[in-house]
Amino acid sequence: MVNLKKFTLSFDKKQENWKLENDKTDRVIKRFDTKENATGGGVLKKTIGKNGGSVRIEKKHGGYDEERTFPRSRDP
């Protein structure tokens, strides 16, 4: 089994923007104005870096939309 870093993209109600957070450290990696800005055009892939990882993408009002793995070849 491949050991991937895990991240979560979720809506921050206090700051009214989307945050990409490292699940292990709870550190916010980057903030985005909209979910579309975070998920479009390879932005997530660039943001998590060359080592890649797995990103759980939340819905604005709870629950999960999807999970993406970068690079795709490391998808378990």
Side-chain angles (χ1 to χ4, degrees):
M1 183 163 194
V2 179
N3 187 15
L4 294 171
K5 288 185 180 180
K6 298 191 182 297
F7 302 89
T8 300
L9 179 67
S10 60
F11 186 72
D12 185 335
K13 293 176 186 174
K14 288 183 180 179
Q15 295 197 16
E16 295 187 7
N17 60 22
W18 289 84
K19 63 181 178 179
L20 180 64
E21 190 171 32
N22 183 317
D23 290 354
K24 186 174 181 179
T25 64
D26 293 329
R27 183 175 155 249
V28 175
I29 306 300
K30 190 166 183 172
R31 292 187 178 272
F32 304 91
D33 292 333
T34 66
K35 185 176 184 178
E36 291 76 23
N37 287 348
T39 58
V43 173
L44 283 177
K45 182 178 180 179
K46 291 176 191 172
T47 304
I48 63 174
K50 66 179 179 176
N51 293 328
S54 178
V55 181
R56 290 189 314 174
I57 301 170
E58 291 186 354
K59 296 178 182 178
K60 187 171 184 177
H61 300 290
Y64 290 96
D65 254 345
E66 64 181 295
E67 186 168 347
R68 296 184 186 177
T69 302
F70 304 100
R72 194 76 145 145
S73 61
R74 294 185 68 193
D75 196 356

